[in-house]
């Protein structure tokens, strides 16, 4: 299984950590789409100013229970979330 663990952050404030299962996208690639409701689930109310970001990491587990986790990455949210 592969999952995305994420949270919305704005300045020093952080939303709740949320987890979404990722789907196979062919070969060794996986994908997930985060829509407005997924962002809102992390941070309610969602920040309404620019300068927010999505911090995330990927966690994977094989059929033997071995788990690996990526480092944390950040994606800037460059527009208002209204």
């Amino acid at each position: 299984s592969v999952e995305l663990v994420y949270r919305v952050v704005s300045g020093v404030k952080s939303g709740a950590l949320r987890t979404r299962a990722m789907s196979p996208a062919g070969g060794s690639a996986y994908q997930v789409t985060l829509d407005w409701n997924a962002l809102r689930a992390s941070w309610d109310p969602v920040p309404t100013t620019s300068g927010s970001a999505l911090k995330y990491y990927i966690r994977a587990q094989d059929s033997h229970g071995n788990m690996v986790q990526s480092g944390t990455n950040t994606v800037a949210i460059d527009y208002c979330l209204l």
Side-chain angles (χ1 to χ4, degrees), residues 9-76:
V9 297
S10 182
V12 297
K13 297 180 180 179
S14 295
L17 276 176
R18 306 296 292 183
T19 302
R20 285 302 259 313
M22 298 181 75
S23 303
S28 60
Y30 283 78
Q31 66 184 13
V32 66
T33 300
L34 296 180
D35 60 14
W36 171 252
N37 291 323
L39 294 175
R40 182 176 215 120
S42 172
W43 189 300
D44 195 3
V46 175
T48 56
T49 60
S50 61
S52 299
L54 181 73
K55 289 194 177 244
Y56 71 93
Y57 59 90
I58 308 297
R59 186 167 50 203
Q61 184 172 359
D62 68 15
S63 60
H64 300 288
N66 300 307
M67 187 175 284
V68 65
Q69 178 176 305
S70 73
T72 300
N73 296 291
T74 303
V75 175

